[in-house]
Amino acid sequence: MSLPREFPSVFCELHKLEFDYADGDGIDFEPYQEFMLREEVQSWFQAWTGNQHAECGDYLIFGQDGTGGYAAIWPIREGKNLIEQPIVFFGSEGELGIVASNFSDYLWLLASNHGPYETIACPDDARLSNEVFLAFANTHATTPRRHVSQIIDDASFEFPEFERKIRALCG
């Protein structure tokens, strides 16, 4: 699928907010202001999978955690814009998973003080709400607020083959 690679304006707005690690109690995320170049994604994806023949597809990497794990939009839904696409995470230590079904659900994760890494690594970790991201989600989200585990379960139910397909590429 070929989607425009223009960084969505709502991502630009979101990424102006402070992602505070707060000594491990916050969100470990370094947002980008534009997508990583496809050539860089391809090179990284082959290194991550250990497979020099693996194709990265159209993953649009929009940020990373402190160890170099990447968050990306996975443009899998035909005819949908980028903020309607699922968000996935590829950790630096092999962590992998669907983070959210769409940008709106991703906002609720941030409001729950879970970035892409925290969502995959500790989905049941009860954290205090992040008031800055909660205000942003209340303004921009189009889906209802749900618990972190429900957002992950919904996304995993919708895209059950994601992890298996990626792991099958690993050399």
Side-chain angles (χ1 to χ4, degrees), residues 119-130:
T119 299
I120 299 303
C122 33
D124 295 323
D125 185 16
R127 295 168 169 246
L128 295 175
S129 292
N130 182 307

Side-chain angles (χ1 to χ4, degrees), residues 93-170:
E93 301 298 320
E95 305 93 344
L96 176 66
I98 296 277
V99 173
S101 292
N102 53 52
F103 179 73
S104 181
D105 284 349
Y106 175 62
L107 291 180
W108 292 122
L109 293 172
L110 295 175
S112 298
N113 219 15
H114 281 74
Y117 170 77
E118 292 84 12
T119 299
I120 299 303
C122 33
D124 295 323
D125 185 16
R127 295 168 169 246
L128 295 175
S129 292
N130 182 307
E131 296 303 318
V132 172
F133 290 113
L134 180 59
F136 193 90
N138 281 325
T139 300
H140 296 283
T142 58
T143 56
R145 186 174 187 184
R146 299 183 314 288
H147 189 272
V148 170
S149 61
Q150 186 63 54
I151 291 172
I152 297 167
D153 289 349
D154 291 349
S156 296
F157 180 78
E158 187 175 359
F159 302 102
E161 298 295 313
F162 171 73
E163 277 192 62
R164 186 191 61 75
K165 287 182 178 182
I166 298 298
R167 298 279 185 217
L169 294 173
C170 293

Side-chain angles (χ1 to χ4, degrees), residues 9-167:
S9 60
V10 71
F11 265 81
C12 293
E13 199 175 327
L14 174 66
H15 288 182
K16 289 177 184 174
L17 301 176
E18 181 181 2
F19 286 77
D20 186 3
Y21 181 61
D23 293 324
D25 292 327
I27 298 173
D28 181 8
F29 191 66
E30 300 169 19
Y32 297 166
Q33 294 303 315
E34 60 187 27
F35 293 122
M36 182 184 282
L37 296 174
R38 189 180 193 293
E39 297 77 26
E40 292 177 51
V41 175
Q42 179 63 35
S43 176
W44 159 80
F45 191 71
Q46 289 176 343
W48 192 91
T49 61
N51 178 349
Q52 294 307 305
H53 303 289
E55 287 295 321
C56 70
D58 289 324
Y59 293 106
L60 299 168
I61 295 176
F62 63 87
Q64 68 182 57
D65 71 2
T67 66
Y70 288 121
I73 295 172
W74 177 33
I76 190 72
R77 292 183 173 125
E78 282 291 333
K80 300 292 184 179
N81 65 39
L82 291 180
I83 63 170
E84 296 173 287
Q85 304 292 343
I87 294 177
V88 298
F89 181 74
F90 295 86
S92 63
E93 301 298 320
E95 305 93 344
L96 176 66
I98 296 277
V99 173
S101 292
N102 53 52
F103 179 73
S104 181
D105 284 349
Y106 175 62
L107 291 180
W108 292 122
L109 293 172
L110 295 175
S112 298
N113 219 15
H114 281 74
Y117 170 77
E118 292 84 12
T119 299
I120 299 303
C122 33
D124 295 323
D125 185 16
R127 295 168 169 246
L128 295 175
S129 292
N130 182 307
E131 296 303 318
V132 172
F133 290 113
L134 180 59
F136 193 90
N138 281 325
T139 300
H140 296 283
T142 58
T143 56
R145 186 174 187 184
R146 299 183 314 288
H147 189 272
V148 170
S149 61
Q150 186 63 54
I151 291 172
I152 297 167
D153 289 349
D154 291 349
S156 296
F157 180 78
E158 187 175 359
F159 302 102
E161 298 295 313
F162 171 73
E163 277 192 62
R164 186 191 61 75
K165 287 182 178 182
I166 298 298
R167 298 279 185 217

